[in-house]
Each structure stands twice: as C-alpha cells, then as structure tokens.
Amino acid sequence: ISSSFDIRKNIGITMKYEVLQDGYIFTHGCNLFNEQGINILDSHDVVSTLSKYPRKKGFYSSTVWIPGNFLSEGLITVGVAILNQGTFRIHFHELDAVAFRVVDNIEGDSARGKYTGGFPGIVRPILKWDTRREGTE
C-alpha cells in the first residue's frame, strides 16, 4: 500500500468485501476528488463479468485501474460504493475510503514535458497530437 504515486504509473484501488447471501446482482463504483473537493471522476464497473450475474456467498475483491499520466498531481480522496445500477440502489458508500498523493517528479516524460512551472488542471493526460506542415501529407 502506498500513500504517494508517480504521476506516470498506473494506480490500482482495490475494494475487498464479503457477500453474506447468495443471489444479489450488483456492481462497484468509485469517486475521485481533488484537494479542493472537486469531483474529478466517477466510475462504475460496467465491464467485468461478475457485475452482470448473481453472486454467491464469499469473499471478493475488485480493483479499478487509473492509467498513468491521467490524474494531475496533488492529494486525491477516493470514495467507494457497491450498488445496483438499474434501480440505483446503493448498498454501501464510503466517501473518504482512502487518500493518496500523485507526485510529478518533473523528469520530462510526464504530460508536463520539460516545463517546470505550475501545471493546473483536474486531469493531466498525455493526449495524441497530430502536427504537420501545411501542404504535405
């Protein structure tokens, strides 16, 4: 478990829980907030197979992956939830489940490049750019 992450690395947030009764269908969600309390993103698990079928009793874990060079540097607070999407019934929601710091070591291969000044924004992905000289293909 880490309390700080290099801005360029993937970040995995894992929820571990126990299902006490067979037969429930539910999914997972997470909310990310920056230091100013701004909601950076919400994500629901709409891709894993288990989120579509009734669960059996037992212990489970679910990890959401945030790609490197996506979040901006600073303190991130994470909320986690277990919910039904169709009826939007929330079984569990903890707004301040965990917090971590995203750190940009200014080594030149993050989205900031070689720029060393302040770099604002809620997210900081490396986006695809297509630059060419006009009149050429």
Side-chain angles (χ1 to χ4, degrees):
I1 298 175
S2 178
S3 60
S4 65
F5 294 91
D6 184 309
I7 199 167
R8 301 165 297 174
K9 304 296 182 190
N10 294 340
I11 299 171
I13 301 167
T14 302
M15 294 174 52
K16 294 185 178 190
Y17 56 92
E18 182 180 6
V19 173
L20 301 174
Q21 294 179 3
D22 291 340
Y24 287 99
I25 298 174
F26 58 87
T27 192
H28 312 90
C30 75
N31 324 100
L32 272 59
F33 299 90
N34 68 9
E35 293 177 67
Q36 291 76 36
I38 296 171
N39 187 200
I40 299 169
L41 67 86
D42 290 347
S43 179
H44 290 173
D45 176 6
V46 295
V47 296
S48 71
T49 304
L50 277 179
S51 67
K52 297 168 182 45
Y53 298 102
R55 301 285 173 101
K56 294 186 184 281
K57 289 192 300 189
F59 292 92
Y60 292 81
S61 70
S62 182
T63 302
V64 60
W65 288 98
I66 300 162
N69 284 309
F70 180 77
L71 296 173
S72 192
E73 60 192 318
L75 184 68
I76 307 295
T77 303
V78 181
V80 294
I82 294 177
L83 58 116
N84 291 87
Q85 282 189 311
T87 59
F88 201 71
R89 180 173 176 222
I90 298 173
H91 300 284
F92 172 82
H93 192 201
E94 177 61 44
L95 277 174
D96 297 315
V98 69
F100 58 88
R101 185 165 295 282
V102 176
V103 179
D104 189 344
N105 293 319
I106 311 177
E107 294 179 9
D109 58 348
S110 74
R112 78 168 43 249
K114 296 181 190 238
Y115 177 68
T116 58
F119 208 101
I122 294 174
V123 294
R124 190 189 299 175
I126 294 179
L127 300 175
K128 182 177 187 232
W129 286 69
D130 185 8
T131 305
R132 63 185 119 179
R133 184 173 165 226
E134 290 295 313
T136 63
E137 292 297 313

